[in-house]
Amino acid sequence: MANWTSVQKYKTIKAIEKFWLHLALFLGLLFTIAPFVWMVSTSFKSGGGIFSYPPKWFPDHPTLEWYKQLFKDVDFLLHFKNSLIVSITTTFFNLFFCSLAGYAFAKLRFLGRDKIFTLLMATLMVPGQITMIPVFLFLKQLGLLNSYWGLILPASVGIFGIFLVRQFMMTIPDDLIEAARIDGCSEFRIYWNVILPLCKPVLATLGIFTFMGSWNDFLWPLIVMIGEERYTLPVALANLSGQFATKFGLLMAGAVVVVMPIILIFVFAQKYVIRGIATTGLKE
Amino acid sequence: MGKTLQSFLKHLRPFLIFCLFLSFSPSALFSKPNLRLISSNPKALTVWAMGEEGLRISIMARKFEQENPGVEIKTQAIPWDAAHEKLLTSVVGGLPPDVSQMGTTWMAEFATLNAFEPLESYIQKSKIIQKENFFEGSWNTNVVGKKVVGVPWYVDTRVLFYRKDLLKEAGFLDAPKTWEEFKAASRALTKDLDGDKKIDRYGIALPVRGWGVFLPFVWQNGGDVFHPTQPEFKEALEYYMSFFKENLTPHGRAADMDIFQAFRTGFYPMFISGPWMVDLVHKELPELDGKWGVAVLPGKKKRTSFVGGCNLVVFKDSKKKELAWKFVEFLSRPDIQIEWHRIMKSLPAVKLAWEDPLLRDHPMLRIFGKQMQDTQSPPQLPEWEQIADTLETRTEAMILGQTILDGNVSNSLSSLEKEIEVILSKSKSSKGGIKKSLTFFVLTLFGILAFFIFWKYKFFIKSRFIESRKIPRLESKKTFSLNLIRSFSGYCFIAPSVTILVLFLFVPILASFFISLTDWNIYGLADRSSVGFIGLRNYKKVFQDAIFWKSLWNTLFFTGVGVPFTVMISLLCATVLNEKFVKLKTFFRTAYFVPVVSTIVAVAVIWRWLYNPEFGLLNYILKSMSLPEFNWLADPRTALASLILMAAWKNFGYNMIIFLAGLQSIPETLYESARIDGANAWQLFLHVTLPGLRSIMVFVVIMSTIGYLQFFAEPYVMTKGGPLNSTMSIVLYMYNQGFKFFELGYASSLAYILFGIIFIFTFIQMRLRKSGFEVN
């Protein structure tokens, strides 16, 4: 009997702990989503009151005028399509190439492996801005300006991604790979059938980041895409803001439209950030 | 033997797949003829314009096509935010449009790049475009080195916005006309309304940095920007500074206060701004209608104001210059100018257009027309941005260093004059030839190559030795061949990535190293033969550059505080959101990731509000707890810390997701057995979670360090590096040097120094966490 009450007491304490934890999570939530809420609500505000302090969290007279203007001024479907083609292809290439290279750097032995890897890491540290003009001239030589490939190719693999995948794969026990090797698996099959399924969480993460980076990229698509019909969505929407007088409602409506696909991808992809069944049964 | 061959072929498979990929990808890449840039139609014209103008100019284009049958005009909008970069790359890449809109302050830069067609011969023949048809100040923005390279399209100028009712209350029926009246009015307006010993009505809003507002005072006094030591300049500066000294304008807060809010409450009863504000004030503050007005700037010898706006230019590389000119003439016709004003509300550049009742009888715009008669623009020099930056930095220091004695102003001004002289003299000199530098470059490359060969060779011997010792293999005889085969498949796995990285990263990085050894600047972009090889002189200059050291310190401070802070928050959130009992996991994860995807513009607005010294949430909380309040972003002591907090908020979601992914690879069984052994939550975290996250932790720490060392977006959006360079980061400084001042050589050497620093950092981290870097 005494035993039973102590279990009950334990459970109550746990429940209280859980309650406080959830409360803390909700408070943190207010902090993180405030600018986002403001962004969405401003996109429904007509004219005045945008700059009032403290910020107005909800519009007095919600309006769709900014969204209407947005879809009138911008050929939405065209730019959306451009963005989608570029981002999805870039993400696909990144997932494939980075996981290939990451696997090699984490689990294969080859001459000069660590030196090559150090070299890659070193270039990660050069600020991206300085390579802009040389890459632009190079793409011109290749005849890739104004084409999707001009955007996709330079971004199709990232040292960030290789490094991320490598670090994750290093936590996978070698026994698995050795076992597969003894069974006569080729290296590619080990990579494809044994390792990749275990890497869903990190691939989902890399996918989110790559998609987001490619989707939000602004300067590079603007420079590479000579013709307006090839602009990606963020570039096309950036045209809506003026030099001095920015229509904030319109700007925010544009931002909401750009952000939504990323959030959808995030919600979709983060479902794969769960413990893989295979790893649970493994022992180090 | 057969077996070896078989396994060899097996290892070859990834390579074959890669070949397959390569063989089909080029065909996909080059299948589309993508350079449809130059239309085959001899009467087709490409026209670029910025932002909303770029969207609306098509209306004008259709009209032109109607008047000129057969002509086809393709208009294209370029976003303001990056128009400068876009124009620059298109000119350097040799793919400019035929006609483009051009900001008045960019004219000299692009003229130096030899991008524009000189227009004198066209103007001589023209009936529409003649100098006297335009406002003088505006026309002069098109004259670079005595050559006319553009035609004004629309203008803007700065006037005084004032609250009629408040000025009347203070005893002034009209807007101030002279410097004395202006000062007197400001004094009369400045008040502490509620008696808390804090001023809640200032005289006027003046920026601490901002040559567009400051220079008109110099011009009004007959001064010259290039000669700050002249008494006219000094007097104007002292007059400007006296507003700050006498507390008629708030120190630094001007940047932080929202102008609409401040104008409504009377915090600022006066401010200086451009024509776009007329519409905005009407829309934002409809309750103030009739209570405010605009006036020509008060003056001393003259009532000069700054003239801006945009010009139209024809590009040298255009194949249809006659037609392009015709379109420029069309846009300059008075009736078209009026029509453009109707569409965009911008002010016409052609004087005749101002006689239209639409402008002549408009109570506010009329004043702008009057002000346009007396305007001036900064000198058209490619070094202008650099001079303006020097000027602003010096004046800012003088304004904020409140205890200035008369001697100090003179000293500061003479060093300012010297700095301007240095900037101006630099442009003329050019040394050496490109050949010498090429030889040097090739030699350096050979050196690097030799070093690598040596390195590799050493490594080759060493690694074989180590590998054979470390990993005793079952078939020791086959070790070498196995090694080769294994190596081969390893190379196949990394081949696609390495190929792409070499092409698009390594080669450009080497190229920029070459650039860092030259004095390449805007003149070099125009004429490559003028680029001189100067060895390590850029690096020497960097080490003597005070702003560099300041920005280095800022960057290191930011990294040192920001990285541990961000990593801890993200690890905490990840661990909590990985717990099984947490409900609504997807929802929370998404919500905590939202700062990463929130638009920086919205983020900036909300954080400005948080940090606002008057109405902000942070100061409100401090006040209610009767703690001292801060001037967060405007105070050099707190500005950097404020930015760190904001950056940590913006970026922790990123690391959180990586940690979440890392947590999934820790076997559940480890937790179970630890729990059975009686471990509590903290012990679980310390002894199971942390060791399990080791390699991911290495990743997160290294990537955050690199990210924070390349800190750019937050200071760029929030403070532009100010106040007094207290938030200047190395990458922001590099961006300014490279893309604002076109000092490409100098910017590249900055990049390489940052590279060196990051390299050392990472090296140390790798050493410290060596275990995480090894394979097993």
Side-chain angles (χ1 to χ4, degrees):
Chain A
M1 196 64 192
N3 211 5
W4 187 79
T5 44
S6 79
V7 165
Q8 201 182 33
K9 207 169 147 193
Y10 177 77
K11 273 188 176 165
T12 340
I13 289 172
K14 276 280 153 193
I16 292 171
E17 268 175 18
K18 276 180 204 170
F19 171 77
W20 283 113
L21 196 72
H22 281 92
L23 193 72
L25 280 176
F26 265 107
L27 284 180
L29 178 105
L30 290 182
F31 196 52
T32 55
I33 62 167
F36 190 77
V37 170
W38 185 84
M39 186 172 119
V40 174
S41 87
T42 303
S43 71
F44 291 107
K45 281 178 206 160
S46 66
I50 282 170
F51 296 105
S52 57
Y53 283 124
K56 261 190 195 151
W57 299 106
F58 297 101
D60 294 334
H61 310 286
T63 166
L64 281 175
E65 99 184 77
W66 300 121
Y67 286 94
K68 275 183 200 149
Q69 192 182 341
L70 191 112
F71 286 101
K72 202 184 82 200
D73 278 346
V74 173
D75 188 346
F76 183 79
L77 278 182
L78 176 78
H79 300 301
F80 189 76
K81 190 194 83 192
N82 288 342
S83 270
L84 221 52
I85 291 176
V86 171
S87 301
I88 287 180
T89 323
T90 308
T91 310
F92 171 74
F93 275 126
N94 261 281
L95 288 179
F96 186 55
F97 289 160
C98 290
S99 60
L100 269 181
Y103 174 63
F105 284 121
K107 292 293 175 193
L108 294 179
R109 291 170 193 288
F110 52 93
L111 300 179
R113 181 189 66 185
D114 292 348
K115 303 290 164 191
I116 296 173
F117 186 70
T118 315
L119 198 68
L120 291 189
M121 290 300 293
T123 50
L124 194 59
M125 301 158 201
V126 179
Q129 289 94 332
I130 57 168
T131 59
M132 198 174 81
I133 290 182
V135 176
F136 178 80
L137 295 177
F138 184 49
L139 284 180
K140 193 191 163 199
Q141 290 290 316
L142 289 179
L144 290 183
L145 290 181
N146 211 31
S147 77
Y148 297 128
W149 288 104
L151 283 186
I152 295 166
L153 214 54
S156 61
V157 66
I159 298 170
F160 169 86
I162 297 176
F163 187 27
L164 177 65
V165 174
R166 172 187 183 264
Q167 294 304 94
F168 188 88
M169 283 184 179
M170 276 177 10
T171 62
I172 296 172
D174 277 346
D175 314 358
L176 260 180
I177 300 167
E178 282 307 320
R181 237 173 240 154
I182 289 164
D183 290 348
C185 257
S186 73
E187 288 299 335
F188 189 78
R189 268 199 71 166
I190 296 175
Y191 154 79
W192 190 257
N193 289 353
V194 180
I195 299 297
L196 274 195
L198 292 179
C199 285
K200 270 181 199 155
V202 79
L203 290 181
T205 308
L206 180 61
I208 292 169
F209 290 163
T210 318
F211 184 87
M212 195 177 81
S214 173
W215 186 265
N216 280 341
D217 196 8
F218 168 70
L219 191 58
W220 192 239
L222 172 69
I223 287 168
V224 171
M225 295 312 201
I226 308 283
E228 204 168 355
E229 69 283 348
R230 287 289 172 96
Y231 277 179
T232 56
L233 198 57
V235 180
L237 290 176
N239 278 324
L240 298 174
S241 59
Q243 188 182 15
F244 300 108
T246 297
K247 292 171 187 160
F248 257 78
L250 190 60
L251 202 66
M252 290 304 124
V256 170
V257 168
V258 171
V259 158
M260 279 311 160
I262 299 180
I263 292 186
L264 284 181
I265 291 272
F266 181 87
V267 172
F268 164 77
Q270 72 88 34
K271 291 222 189 314
Y272 290 94
V273 186
I274 46 160
R275 195 155 293 164
I277 303 153
T279 39
T280 48
L282 276 173
K283 280 183 190 136
E284 295 255 354
Chain B
M1 189 64 208
K3 215 174 179 185
T4 322
L5 191 72
Q6 210 180 0
S7 79
F8 183 76
L9 281 179
K10 234 179 222 169
H11 289 300
L12 211 60
R13 205 146 73 187
F15 179 69
L16 289 177
I17 290 175
F18 176 55
C19 284
L20 202 75
F21 167 70
L22 270 191
S23 65
F24 96 88
S25 62
S27 63
L29 289 180
F30 300 109
S31 60
K32 301 177 216 141
N34 53 64
L35 286 175
R36 290 177 296 124
L37 312 174
I38 299 147
S39 170
S40 52
N41 183 351
K43 283 185 154 186
L45 211 57
T46 316
V47 177
W48 285 4
M50 275 68 125
E52 209 184 332
E53 278 109 296
L55 298 174
R56 307 271 173 260
I57 196 176
S58 59
I59 304 172
M60 296 290 136
R62 299 295 87 81
K63 213 166 172 163
F64 184 71
E65 285 169 353
Q66 268 173 20
E67 286 183 21
N68 301 275
V71 173
E72 184 194 326
I73 292 192
K74 212 178 147 290
T75 61
Q76 184 164 346
I78 314 290
W80 273 111
D81 295 346
H84 194 254
E85 282 92 340
K86 170 89 177 170
L87 282 163
L88 180 69
T89 43
S90 70
V91 167
V92 173
L95 298 163
D98 297 301
V99 176
S100 176
Q101 173 186 5
M102 191 63 72
T104 51
T105 47
W106 302 348
M107 295 297 289
E109 277 168 29
F110 285 93
T112 313
L113 282 175
N114 239 338
F116 303 146
E117 175 78 1
L119 296 173
E120 275 96 350
S121 56
Y122 297 87
I123 293 167
Q124 269 171 14
K125 287 179 284 179
S126 174
K127 287 194 192 82
I128 300 164
I129 298 177
Q130 287 301 327
K131 191 181 171 186
E132 57 274 12
N133 296 348
F134 295 87
F135 293 108
E136 200 191 341
S138 163
W139 181 266
N140 286 341
T141 61
N142 292 290
V143 185
V144 183
K146 298 202 172 104
K147 266 190 207 158
V148 183
V149 288
V151 174
W153 187 18
Y154 64 84
V155 293
D156 88 54
T157 185
R158 305 296 134 89
V159 298
L160 185 70
F161 288 70
Y162 66 102
R163 282 282 295 270
K164 281 181 183 167
D165 51 341
L166 297 180
L167 222 59
K168 207 176 191 174
E169 227 174 77
F172 290 83
L173 290 178
D174 268 324
K177 290 187 185 60
T178 63
W179 278 15
E180 288 75 31
E181 278 178 41
F182 188 36
K183 190 60 149 306
S186 300
R187 280 192 189 128
L189 282 167
T190 304
K191 255 183 212 150
D192 169 16
L193 294 173
D194 52 10
D196 63 351
K197 303 216 166 88
K198 252 173 63 185
I199 298 169
D200 25 35
R201 169 165 306 152
Y202 284 95
I204 182 170
L206 290 176
V208 176
R209 273 182 91 98
W211 56 267
V213 176
F214 169 65
L215 272 188
F217 286 90
V218 176
W219 292 327
Q220 285 158 15
N221 206 25
D224 178 359
V225 201
F226 291 155
H227 300 288
T229 43
Q230 282 174 356
E232 290 88 358
F233 189 103
K234 195 180 162 205
E235 199 189 351
L237 177 64
E238 277 168 345
Y239 178 71
Y240 193 79
M241 275 165 57
S242 69
F243 281 89
F244 293 89
K245 257 193 224 163
E246 293 179 30
N247 267 330
L248 306 178
T249 190
H251 303 279
R253 288 191 181 185
D256 263 16
M257 280 301 300
D258 171 54
I259 201 80
F260 298 105
Q261 181 99 357
F263 199 48
R264 187 173 58 80
T265 56
F267 190 81
Y268 294 147
M270 296 197 280
F271 65 90
I272 294 171
S273 192
W276 62 89
M277 275 310 257
V278 174
D279 248 21
L280 279 181
V281 175
H282 269 307
K283 264 200 197 133
E284 283 288 323
L285 309 168
E287 69 270 28
L288 280 188
D289 271 354
K291 288 187 192 161
W292 63 279
V294 294
V296 175
L297 290 186
K300 180 124 194 235
K301 288 173 187 155
K302 292 178 283 181
R303 297 176 73 177
T304 314
S305 182
F306 161 76
V307 63
C310 276
N311 301 329
L312 292 163
V313 295
V314 177
F315 281 89
K316 202 162 220 158
D317 285 352
S318 161
K319 301 271 184 309
K320 299 142 193 166
K321 286 175 196 136
E322 284 297 331
L323 187 62
W325 175 252
K326 218 173 157 188
F327 186 61
V328 173
E329 273 189 325
F330 168 79
L331 289 177
S332 304
R333 253 169 39 195
D335 55 319
I336 299 299
Q337 286 253 315
I338 278 293
E339 177 127 15
W340 187 241
H341 167 73
R342 270 204 195 98
I343 298 169
M344 281 303 301
K345 299 273 191 311
S346 53
L347 304 178
V350 176
K351 283 183 194 164
L352 260 177
W354 284 82
E355 280 162 30
D356 188 277
L358 195 65
L359 286 155
R360 199 185 51 203
D361 301 334
H362 191 288
M364 305 266 178
L365 295 183
R366 181 169 75 76
I367 307 292
F368 284 90
K370 234 166 107 189
Q371 180 75 69
M372 276 308 298
Q373 306 292 340
D374 188 0
T375 52
Q376 207 169 327
S377 65
Q380 292 296 324
L381 287 172
E383 294 87 6
W384 171 247
E385 285 284 351
Q386 228 168 326
I387 292 173
D389 187 67
T390 315
L391 178 78
E392 286 180 347
T393 308
R394 281 277 169 195
T395 47
E396 184 190 19
M398 282 188 264
I399 290 168
L400 292 181
Q402 293 151 30
T403 52
I404 288 178
L405 304 167
D406 187 59
N408 275 342
V409 174
S410 299
N411 281 346
S412 297
L413 286 178
S414 59
S415 45
L416 172 61
E417 181 150 343
K418 259 178 229 141
E419 281 168 37
I420 292 177
E421 268 165 26
V422 170
I423 295 171
L424 288 176
S425 66
K426 200 167 49 188
S427 57
K428 275 95 201 175
S429 64
S430 94
K431 300 149 243 75
I434 197 119
K435 257 186 198 155
K436 205 170 114 201
S437 52
L438 260 180
T439 339
F440 181 86
F441 185 55
V442 170
L443 279 178
T444 330
L445 263 187
F446 269 114
I448 294 170
L449 211 68
F451 178 71
F452 267 111
I453 291 169
F454 171 73
W455 190 23
K456 261 217 128 142
Y457 180 65
K458 210 178 86 198
F459 167 75
F460 185 71
I461 299 168
K462 219 171 82 190
S463 76
R464 270 195 61 199
F465 173 65
I466 290 171
E467 289 222 346
S468 57
R469 200 185 51 182
K470 241 185 175 171
I471 310 140
R473 290 188 181 277
L474 292 172
E475 309 154 272
S476 56
K477 271 181 210 162
K478 282 187 183 171
T479 305
F480 186 65
S481 65
L482 246 177
N483 250 358
L484 257 190
I485 291 171
R486 286 261 168 91
S487 281
F488 185 69
S489 63
Y491 292 141
C492 292
F493 273 100
I494 63 167
S497 309
V498 169
T499 317
I500 292 162
L501 288 173
V502 165
L503 285 179
F504 293 106
L505 200 63
F506 284 40
V507 173
I509 283 173
L510 276 182
S512 71
F513 177 66
F514 173 51
I515 292 171
S516 81
L517 300 174
T518 65
D519 63 352
W520 204 351
N521 55 16
I522 184 157
Y523 297 97
L525 275 176
D527 174 13
R528 304 232 166 123
S529 67
S530 77
V531 177
F533 171 71
I534 56 167
L536 296 175
R537 224 176 299 168
N538 277 328
Y539 292 88
K540 206 178 136 198
K541 210 175 113 198
V542 171
F543 286 115
Q544 290 166 349
D545 187 340
I547 302 178
F548 163 74
W549 288 109
K550 179 86 190 151
S551 65
L552 178 64
W553 161 246
N554 290 342
T555 309
L556 291 182
F557 181 78
F558 191 83
T559 312
V561 180
V563 171
F565 189 52
T566 317
V567 170
M568 273 180 337
I569 297 179
S570 29
L571 184 57
L572 179 78
C573 291
T575 333
V576 170
L577 289 182
N578 196 47
E579 288 296 335
K580 270 198 204 123
F581 60 82
V582 172
K583 303 276 180 302
L584 298 169
K585 242 181 242 175
T586 306
F587 172 70
F588 277 121
R589 283 178 182 181
T590 313
Y592 280 50
F593 190 69
V594 149
V596 178
V597 297
S598 298
T599 322
I600 190 85
V601 184
V603 172
V605 167
I606 295 302
W607 280 84
R608 282 231 176 81
W609 166 63
L610 284 177
Y611 285 143
N612 186 292
E614 290 293 317
F615 308 105
L617 185 66
L618 280 180
N619 270 0
Y620 176 78
I621 294 172
L622 287 178
K623 203 168 157 188
S624 61
M625 285 161 41
S626 56
L627 288 169
E629 295 165 50
F630 290 105
N631 209 349
W632 300 99
L633 289 171
D635 187 333
R637 288 165 303 174
T638 50
L640 193 59
S642 310
L643 288 189
I644 293 178
L645 191 61
M646 176 180 160
W649 174 87
K650 179 108 176 79
N651 297 317
F652 83 91
Y654 210 84
N655 294 333
M656 181 188 79
I657 294 301
I658 300 175
F659 277 132
L660 271 172
L663 286 171
Q664 312 312 319
S665 68
I666 302 174
E668 185 60 37
T669 45
L670 283 183
Y671 284 103
E672 276 161 22
S673 52
R675 257 187 225 116
I676 289 166
D677 291 345
N680 60 24
W682 174 245
Q683 284 166 330
L684 280 181
F685 176 76
L686 214 60
H687 299 294
V688 181
T689 310
L690 270 189
L693 277 179
R694 197 173 53 197
S695 72
I696 288 296
M697 182 66 97
V698 170
F699 175 81
V700 169
V701 170
I702 289 182
M703 291 313 294
S704 314
T705 308
I706 293 174
Y708 277 112
L709 283 173
Q710 297 185 353
F711 184 43
F712 175 76
E714 284 84 5
Y716 184 75
V717 175
M718 298 291 282
T719 57
K720 298 265 172 205
L724 293 175
N725 289 325
S726 61
T727 56
M728 180 67 79
S729 74
I730 294 193
V731 175
L732 180 58
Y733 189 50
M734 189 187 83
Y735 176 85
N736 281 348
Q737 290 289 339
F739 288 106
K740 255 169 91 182
F741 310 151
F742 289 102
E743 291 289 339
L744 298 175
Y746 194 62
S748 301
S749 60
L750 276 170
Y752 270 87
I753 287 175
L754 180 64
F755 167 74
I757 293 165
I758 301 182
F759 190 79
I760 293 166
F761 255 84
T762 319
F763 189 73
I764 293 169
Q765 276 181 340
M766 282 182 184
R767 280 284 132 121
L768 287 179
R769 283 228 140 270
K770 202 154 185 279
S771 46
F773 247 84
E774 281 168 351
V775 187
N776 291 312

